[in-house]
Amino acid sequence: MRVLVVTAVPVERDAVTRAFGGAAETLTLPGTELHRSGAFDVLAGGAGPAAAAAATAFALASASASASASQSYGLVVSAGIGGGFAPAAPLGSLVVASEIVAADLGAETPDGFLPVTALGFGRDRFTPPPALVREVAAATGAAPGPVLTVSTVTGTAARTAALLAAHPGALAEAMEGFGVAEAAGRAGVPVLELRAVSNTVGPRDRAAWRIGDALAALTEAFGKTAPVLEGWHRHDH
């Protein structure tokens, strides 16, 4: 089984690729490139759900068009760094999504935010395979819980409180997971999201971010996750 790992930016892609050791093969696709190491293809698809969805869809379609069935993907992973909700997800910790939630897809009303599902169309969440979430959490020490996808990074206490009120138990926010999940879902491929926490969700304090530590945690996490993903099969529950 091949695994497609979608990150936002090259430093995240490289952090994941380092976990596999050795030199990765580079494959060029229009608008991006894949770094192939063993069963894993890693790409930097761009920031935000739209770019992530487009890059994921193109990679999946390219694999499906291949003459070799061995090039098709059995799993897509959205990976990278993100903001953690304190105190559940402290700096440097890992989070694996039990739900991938589109937290700001919907409509503002005088009575508050309505998710897209309340408007009568679309969907606002994907559920990764629960057994796989449990196995990754056990292998890496990641906390399992909802991960929110937002188009705008949270930067105020009021917005933090609103997100937690709407999504109790949320552990982290990032910008790509739901886009990756939409593309994977339409292709009929399971999805997983794994995040290393680089900052605390709340009032924006760029000086307090620990991006280097989070990237190092991401590399370590994928070193432990790779054997789990390689041994996982879609019929596992």
Side-chain angles (χ1 to χ4, degrees), residues 78-197:
S78 177
I81 62 176
F85 289 97
L91 295 178
S93 66
L94 298 169
V95 173
V96 59
S98 60
E99 290 186 301
I100 301 170
V101 183
D104 56 7
L105 181 62
E108 290 289 349
T109 77
D111 297 320
F113 177 77
L114 290 178
V116 67
T117 51
L119 303 177
F121 55 89
R123 64 186 300 173
D124 66 351
R125 67 194 61 224
F126 287 84
T127 301
L132 183 58
V133 171
R134 291 193 297 269
E135 291 178 28
V136 170
T140 63
V147 176
L148 309 184
T149 299
V150 295
S151 295
T152 302
V153 174
T154 300
T156 67
R159 178 61 176 158
T160 303
L163 286 174
L164 287 175
H167 307 284
L171 295 183
E173 71 167 24
M175 300 180 72
E176 293 78 34
F178 190 81
V180 173
E182 275 279 22
R186 293 184 184 222
V189 182
V191 67
L192 185 75
E193 183 170 10
L194 182 62
R195 295 283 166 183
V197 176

Side-chain angles (χ1 to χ4, degrees), residues 15 19 94 140 215-225:
L94 298 169
T140 63
L215 291 172
L218 188 65
T219 299
E220 183 178 359
F222 264 87
K224 297 174 180 177
T225 299

